Amino acid sequence: MNEKTFWALMDGLSCHPGDRHERLEWLRGELRRRPAVEGVEFQARLEVACAAVTTGALWRAVGRIEGGLCSDDSFDYFALWLVAQGRETYRAVLADPDALADVAEVRALVGRHPREWCDDEWPEWEELDYVAQEVFDELTGQEDGCGEAFHEALEAVQDACAKVEEETVTVEATVTAGTPRLDVLFPVETTS
């Protein structure tokens, strides 16, 4: 699976109607139509895209949105959510974390404490990380439950990719002044 195909799937996922469960079922269906190895390649690309999200500026932005409640796991799930927003949003936010202020799902959280958010409202999407393995197990008849065959296949794909020059696109941050729009939308709560 090349980068173009991966992002076409993410763009499709981002605009597919329905709740998160329905959108993940759509993605499962798309991956089921492909050879099992493409699901593994999908996961490898997903992990590369998520790794690029791990910056101090984005960590601070997510912490601002989530009211300081962002753990290591929460940030990983945020990265998955961001990739699922599609290529255009992903690239915009990597270039300028304050662009999160333009994302409708983020704006819907403004003025509400995180304790008031429904599970599907959090800018996190842990379940996306399991789709490729679920489909791989289904397509290959794996019954081990721990994904050993999937992880071995993923490791082989990652090793092969490391030996071949990737068609990665570097996104450079254009803003270094912080997140002024997010700061206004999600002010720090003070306790008296």
Side-chain angles (χ1 to χ4, degrees):
M1 175 174 293
N2 63 28
E3 186 174 8
K4 182 179 178 181
T5 303
F6 171 78
W7 284 112
L9 287 170
M10 290 295 90
D11 290 340
L13 180 66
S14 72
C15 66
H16 192 77
D19 62 19
R20 288 185 184 186
H21 174 76
E22 293 165 323
R23 293 168 59 206
L24 285 179
E25 195 50 47
W26 173 84
L27 180 59
R28 284 183 191 96
E30 292 297 310
L31 291 175
R32 281 183 194 113
R33 290 190 246 299
R34 303 167 186 274
V37 69
E38 285 198 39
V40 176
E41 293 165 350
F42 170 88
Q43 183 68 28
R45 292 219 178 258
L46 179 63
E47 290 180 10
V48 167
C50 287
V53 173
T54 308
T55 67
L58 269 168
W59 192 283
R60 286 187 299 279
V62 176
R64 170 67 75 162
I65 293 167
E66 295 187 359
L69 301 175
C70 188
S71 67
D72 290 350
D73 287 343
S74 292
F75 189 81
D76 291 343
Y77 306 151
F78 163 79
L80 290 159
W81 173 86
L82 181 59
V83 174
Q85 300 309 301
R87 188 175 196 169
E88 185 177 319
T89 299
Y90 172 84
R91 290 176 56 91
V93 170
L94 284 187
D96 178 8
D98 209 29
L100 283 165
D102 299 326
V103 178
E105 290 84 357
V106 171
R107 293 189 70 82
L109 304 173
V110 173
R112 297 169 42 219
H113 192 278
R115 285 186 295 248
E116 300 170 0
W117 302 350
C118 297
D119 288 345
D120 281 356
E121 289 183 296
W122 283 81
E124 300 177 0
W125 203 350
E126 177 184 6
E127 297 80 10
L128 177 59
D129 203 25
Y130 310 123
V131 170
Q133 181 182 336
E134 291 166 1
V135 171
F136 177 88
D137 290 351
E138 186 180 314
L139 292 176
T140 61
Q142 298 297 315
E143 299 283 336
D144 64 9
C146 65
E148 191 172 314
F150 175 77
H151 290 291
E152 288 174 5
L154 179 60
E155 191 173 304
V157 165
Q158 290 168 327
D159 288 346
C161 287
K163 294 176 184 172
V164 178
E165 185 176 335
E166 288 287 329
E167 66 247 38
T168 55
V169 176
T170 303
V171 178
E172 295 185 25
T174 56
V175 176
T176 58
T179 54
R181 295 183 301 146
L182 284 176
D183 294 349
V184 169
L185 294 174
F186 299 94
V188 175
E189 291 184 17
T190 58
T191 56
S192 311

